[in-house]
Amino acid sequence: MSTNPAPESNPASTSSSPSEAPKPPIEQLRLPTPDEIRGQDIWNNCAVRSVFSGVVGGGLGLALGLFLGSFDTPIMQDTMTGKQQFIYQAKQMGRKSWSNCKTFAVMGLIFSAAECVVEKARAKHDTTNTAVAGCVTGGVLSASGGPKAACFGCAGFAAFSVLIEKFLDRHD
């Protein structure tokens, strides 16, 4: 009498070769609906992307300004009443929020527009697009300081953009 089980009862022995892995089931390909295609077409428009980035950047700048504005303390804090300090603090928060809102909105709009235009012109989605968009954004934002400031702004913002891109690892 043999102690080995019958070949029918051993599931491992039913495959033709022990080195073959079981194949995953083939999933059916789902085509996008017309609404999904329309949504993708709208989102691939550079103007839509840029405006959306500007709005989101403005919202983030507003929040950042509120947060940072709350740390501003009045110079004459000793002589001010609680009400005066509160009013001063609220005005500072409002000024800083509005300033950051405008700056981040313009930054988001310029960066997104530049990246989208470069991506469409090159027909590639890679880190070079990010570097060029960062350079354009940094150069435009610091252009009022002269050509030297624009060059440093270009180089600095491009380097920062590439570092963030590498950190987020969006491209292969």
Side-chain angles (χ1 to χ4, degrees):
M1 294 202 122
S2 172
T3 58
N4 291 340
E8 297 83 47
S9 63
N10 188 355
S13 65
T14 57
S15 73
S16 60
S17 169
S19 64
E20 286 184 27
K23 295 181 181 177
I26 298 174
E27 294 182 23
Q28 185 177 7
L29 181 65
R30 187 185 72 81
L31 297 175
T33 65
D35 287 339
E36 290 172 338
I37 292 172
R38 202 172 308 118
Q40 288 174 354
D41 287 344
I42 290 170
W43 186 247
N44 285 334
N45 185 338
C46 289
V48 171
R49 265 197 220 179
S50 300
V51 169
F52 180 77
S53 294
V55 169
V56 170
L60 290 174
L62 191 70
L64 184 66
L66 281 173
F67 177 71
L68 294 177
S70 67
F71 293 118
D72 286 345
T73 56
I75 297 170
M76 304 300 249
Q77 186 174 1
D78 303 342
T79 61
M80 295 174 79
T81 65
K83 182 179 178 182
Q84 289 172 330
Q85 287 181 14
F86 180 79
I87 291 170
Y88 175 83
Q89 195 81 17
K91 286 181 181 179
Q92 285 299 103
M93 287 172 64
R95 283 188 206 110
K96 191 166 281 264
S97 294
W98 183 243
S99 173
N100 282 350
C101 177
K102 291 188 297 185
T103 302
F104 277 79
V106 169
M107 190 183 312
L109 186 119
I110 293 171
F111 184 86
S112 183
E115 187 177 38
C116 185
V117 168
V118 170
E119 186 176 313
K120 293 209 184 267
R122 293 182 67 231
K124 286 184 181 179
H125 184 69
D126 60 4
T127 308
T128 304
N129 300 343
T130 304
V132 171
C135 180
V136 168
T137 305
V140 168
L141 291 177
S142 59
S144 63
K148 190 174 182 180
C151 288
F152 279 116
C154 168
F157 210 101
F160 178 73
S161 299
V162 169
L163 283 174
I164 293 296
E165 195 75 19
K166 292 293 184 185
F167 177 74
L168 295 177
D169 197 27
R170 284 182 25 196
H171 303 294
D172 293 331

